[in-house]
Amino acid sequence: SQQGEEDPQALSIQEGENATMNCSYKTSINNLQWYRQNSGRGLVHLILIRSNEREKHSGRLRVTLDTSKKSSSLLITASRAADTASYFCATADNYGQNFVFGPGTRLSVLP
Amino acid sequence: DVKVTQSSRYLVKRTGEKVFLECVQDMDHENMFWYRQDPGLGLRLIYFSYDVKMKEKGDIPEGYSVSREKKERFSLILESASTNQTSMYLCASSFTLAASSGNEQFFGPGTRLTVL
């Protein structure tokens, strides 16, 4: 069953702009993770936010989590062409065995 | 750095062939996973393994089997390949399944399988 749903499905921005992607999920989670996938490659873990956290930063990445709305957002500031990739959210329940990826947001950063 | 390798980047097989996809990780992770990725569907879990010789079905195990004889190696087997198994196959590993410990997964580069 699909848990996370990213929005939008695709996003095009100019270099230097900020990119925001959203993820909604349906059931209670222990943590939510964001991954990046460059074209035709495997996924790379970006950041994990726990259910008792509201915001987390890592370099140019900012993740927020609103458990009351069952949603998360990933903000990439001052985007670069190298940020062009697909971004996935993944949710984990408290047992860790229900680890579910959404369909992803395809980000294009134009030079 | 964790390294997860997959035996092939691209593979072309014929309908009915038996196909082996191999995955090796070098960080002594307990858990290994096989996903398939299709456009618009995201990643779907086929099987995972939490220990040597242990396996659990994921969301779409039909038509697949797995083998984990050694901790570092997890194989995905298509007993009789069909055209609807044409897909990108991704292997991953993680140190723990426990979400409370941070169960991030480390992925291999993927194998793009085409079944003709």
Side-chain angles (χ1 to χ4, degrees), chain A residues 1-2 30-31 33 35 37 39-45 48 50 88 92-104, chain B residues 9-10 33 35 37 40-43 45 48 56 59 88 90 97-110 112:
Chain A
S1 58
Q2 196 152 307
N30 176 283
N31 68 63
Q33 304 178 30
Y35 289 77
Q37 183 182 34
S39 180
R41 309 291 297 185
L43 279 70
V44 174
H45 182 262
L48 179 153
R50 299 189 187 280
F88 296 86
D93 64 18
N94 284 316
Y95 303 101
Q97 293 191 4
N98 191 25
F99 195 86
V100 183
F101 287 86
Chain B
R9 288 297 317 279
Y10 300 93
F33 308 81
Y35 295 89
Q37 183 179 24
L41 296 177
L43 276 74
L45 182 64
F48 73 96
E56 291 283 344
D59 295 323
M88 169 74 102
L90 293 165
L97 285 178
S100 57
S101 301
N103 54 347
E104 55 260 44
Q105 297 188 8
F106 298 85
F107 282 81
R112 189 166 292 282

